[in-house]
Amino acid sequence: MKQKKQEIAINKKEFYRNLTRLALPISLQSLMLASVAAGDALMLGKVAQDEMTAVSLATQIQFVQNMFLAAVTAAGAILGAQYWGKGDRRTLQNVFNIMLWFCGVVSAIFFLACELLPEQLMRIFTHDAPLIEIGSSYLRIAGWSYLLTGISQCYLTTMKVSEHVKPGALISSCAVVMNICLNAVFIFGLFGAPRMQARGAALATTIARVVELALCIAVSMGTSYIRPAFDRFVRLPKQLRSDFIKQCLPLMGGSLCWGIGFTSYTAIMGHMGTDAAAANSVAAVVRDLICCMCNGIGSAAGIMVGNELGGGRLEMGKAYGIKLKNISYVIGLISTALVLAVTPVVVKMVILTDQARGYLTGMMVIMSVYMIGRCVNTVTINGVLDGGGDTIFDMYSLIVSMWLIAIPLALVGAFVLHWSPLAVYACTCLDEVGKIPWVMIRVRKYKWVQDLTR
């Protein structure tokens, strides 16, 4: 027994060095991406509450698109990390090709929907005519950025799993800085530009996505980078395609359950009045900013566990997973403290009615408890379990905790029992906290400790 413990003992210095090397750039990348939404909210909040609320609702379309893209790129990251740990570059190129196929189709569908059916999309989230008009004008321009996002994400995912996480994070950061700067130019009409308000935010996003994709392609021309194998683009290995789909389908189910569920939360709050919708929009921005830390550690966890398992070091991968699960609780408590600390500042930063400001304060307090569950589940499910190919659990847990408990309770509270917006918001936060015990049981079954390579 002592010998076995010695064999699987973690080199803490190496573990934390690898975790920091991966998690910091990914967290920065996540933070920069979330900063775009924060920039939109703050700048449009200075223009008018309706402009800010309409854009927040309209961007839920991209949120749903990102759920599809996230499932495809997550499947690519799972297989990619394991094949990179095995040292198989050729198969990783094939994985890149498969990601491009799927993401290209998804991006084209969402682009066409935004160009042809923007009003119908906005009516999903609100019945307020001014919000529908503003949001539709935003989607017609932003839809072009949705066409490019999927391709960029394939490049950035491949960089992340092939030890080029820093260049990928730098590219995303540059695109985000450009996006925020152009937001200011086009929203407020600076330097002689037209004052476009919500449409300006959409134009800034589209220009930034063009630059991001161009940088991804240019940087990936380097000799040490993995690029798409276009000579094999239509001749993908059948077994690898099957393995990819096997990983992708549960991830797709989980992403859609989570993404559509979150969009349902936004739609429910959007139908409870403009004050509740505005407060929820600001709270969502704060949530996404503070979640960047756990997102980075979750992605790093998947890569670290995947590298060990793909390299045949199953016991070390198992030990890494357990340690990362424990770290997730620390991140959750830190995130809770951050939410409470920034609440007074956030409430004063945006222009809201007195009632909306009161809603926002209550939502932030509720969110502080939610953050513990969000961090634990992100690192453990999306990192540790997915890193070993146990992708089906996320879908099961979301069906039960979100679709059978949180969403029905929020719907009944909002439209049948007519609860206050804060009570309904609390219902939308139940799913993450409630499933923690179930997640811990799943981890201890160790079904995720498996080598997926061939």
Side-chain angles (χ1 to χ4, degrees), residues 135-158:
S136 298
S137 67
Y138 175 92
L139 287 174
R140 287 191 182 94
I141 299 174
W144 291 92
S145 71
Y146 302 166
L147 189 61
L148 305 175
T149 300
I151 302 172
S152 299
Q153 289 305 308
C154 294
Y155 275 92
L156 294 170
T157 298
T158 304

Side-chain angles (χ1 to χ4, degrees), residues 258 294-295 298 325 328-329 332 370-386 393-394 397-398 401 429-440 443:
W258 188 78
C294 72
N295 291 341
K325 177 261 295 181
S328 70
Y329 283 96
Y370 160 89
M371 290 303 299
I372 297 175
R374 176 68 179 269
C375 292
V376 170
N377 294 328
T378 296
V379 176
T380 307
I381 298 177
N382 304 124
V384 177
L385 298 184
D386 284 359
F393 174 76
D394 192 20
S397 65
L398 286 166
S401 62
C429 295
L430 286 175
D431 57 313
E432 295 287 1
V433 177
K435 68 184 179 185
I436 290 179
W438 192 10
V439 173
M440 295 302 103
V443 171

Side-chain angles (χ1 to χ4, degrees), residues 62-135:
Q62 186 180 27
F63 179 75
V64 174
Q65 180 198 19
N66 286 340
M67 293 303 99
F68 286 95
L69 299 179
V72 175
T73 55
I78 290 168
L79 291 175
Q82 293 218 2
Y83 278 107
W84 183 259
K86 190 178 182 179
D88 189 344
R89 292 174 63 94
R90 180 181 176 85
T91 303
L92 184 51
Q93 285 182 317
N94 289 331
V95 171
F96 198 162
N97 284 347
I98 295 173
M99 284 194 291
L100 284 174
W101 268 106
F102 282 95
C103 287
V105 171
V106 169
S107 298
I109 291 171
F110 276 82
F111 162 71
L112 291 173
C114 289
E115 297 305 313
L116 301 177
L117 305 167
E119 291 86 3
Q120 289 85 339
L121 293 175
M122 284 301 299
R123 287 194 182 96
I124 298 173
F125 305 106
T126 182
H127 51 69
D128 191 87
L131 296 184
I132 292 173
E133 182 180 355
I134 296 169

Side-chain angles (χ1 to χ4, degrees), residues 406-422:
I407 290 177
L409 196 57
L411 285 170
V412 171
F415 303 116
V416 178
L417 301 178
H418 304 292
W419 288 346
S420 72
L422 289 181

Side-chain angles (χ1 to χ4, degrees), residues 283-339:
V285 171
V286 177
R287 178 197 66 218
D288 291 343
L289 285 171
I290 294 180
C291 281
C292 292
M293 181 165 48
C294 72
N295 291 341
I297 293 177
S299 294
I303 295 171
M304 291 172 66
V305 171
N307 285 167
E308 296 301 318
L309 298 177
R313 300 176 292 275
L314 300 186
E315 287 299 322
M316 185 58 72
K318 178 180 175 181
Y320 272 23
I322 294 170
K323 190 167 186 64
L324 288 160
K325 177 261 295 181
N326 295 336
I327 289 173
S328 70
Y329 283 96
V330 178
I331 302 304
L333 291 173
I334 293 172
S335 299
T336 293
L338 281 174
V339 171

